[in-house]
Amino acid sequence: MAVCSSSSSSGSSSNTKAWIIHGILTGAAVAVALGAHAYLLLRRSGKFRSRVVGIIPARFASSRFQGKPLVQILGKPMIQRTWERAKLATTLDHVVVATDDDKIADCCRGFGADVIMTSESCQNGTERCNEALQKLEKQYDIVVNIQGDEPLIEPEIIDGVVKALQAAPDAVFSTAVTSLKPEDGFDPNRVKCIVDNRGYAIYFSRGLIPFNKSGEVNQQFPYLLHLGIQSYDTKFLRIYPDLPPTPLQLEEDLEQLKVLENGYKMKVIKVDHEAHGVDTPEDVDKIESFMRERNLS
């Protein structure tokens, strides 16, 4: 799954915030259109989906990049960089790492992170988040799944997907997208997304979507790239593992498709954000070069 990194320019940051605000306002408009009186009362009281935990699922085993969370990014383990960025998000009441690996757990405890040990049987990050949620002492309304291979995740994007879910009572899931680079159109590691005119997800694919008759990337079309950040209503997260696998989920190997195939709604916000996936060992050099160019330490 693609991950995102921060931009060093103030203009990019402003654009990111503008897109996030647009997505949140769209969700609020939908709530009004639905006549969600109870929702509005809860929002006014500050109690609607107000308790939020960020969970960073991390596993050592990977077919493409074993031990990825522990790889050094300019002198720090990648998962430490992700955790440090997540701690800056203002909407998160707590941040924990969920892992089934002792090496990752020891590393995380070493830099001060709270760790929840989970089983090796978790099929994906969503299931790992659900198991970790059950083991937390406090109750939460929203879980944010923060990919462990997102060393430059912007706190504003974390806050954006949380606020989008809080503003969309008919959705159980929220996530973020950004513009897709034309050269990434046919890269299966870059997950594409299409949304409806109210900002709800229609479909995700490893292939190029939409796909035109020419079979080539349309340089003028605003293709969307899915970023590795998503949040769930905890009531939905608890039933997610019990939902049977779906054909599109299995074919694309994308866990979010199980949400859509079972008829649930997913809110999507767009952010102006340069994306860098840390999916293979070769990606480490790319992201370190990116950080050096922008004086990011």
Side-chain angles (χ1 to χ4, degrees), residues 65-111:
F65 194 171
Q66 188 168 0
K68 181 168 63 171
L70 300 181
V71 68
Q72 294 286 310
I73 304 289
L74 295 184
K76 284 185 182 180
M78 180 160 58
I79 195 165
Q80 179 177 353
R81 291 190 175 277
T82 304
W83 177 80
E84 289 174 348
R85 301 289 285 180
K87 292 283 285 184
L88 298 176
T90 60
T91 56
L92 301 183
D93 299 307
H94 191 35
V95 179
V96 301
V97 175
T99 186
D100 59 4
D101 185 84
D102 289 334
K103 294 182 290 296
I104 292 176
D106 291 342
C107 173
C108 292
R109 293 187 182 107
F111 58 74

Side-chain angles (χ1 to χ4, degrees), residues 15-31 39 160-168 174-175 198-200 267-271:
N15 289 335
T16 295
K17 293 175 182 176
W19 272 111
I20 289 171
I21 292 169
H22 172 74
I24 294 166
L25 290 177
T26 300
V30 171
Y39 159 79
V161 296
V162 170
K163 292 174 182 177
L165 189 57
Q166 290 172 333
S174 66
T175 190
R198 295 195 303 158
Y200 290 87
K267 194 72 176 69
V268 179
I269 61 169
K270 185 181 178 185
V271 297

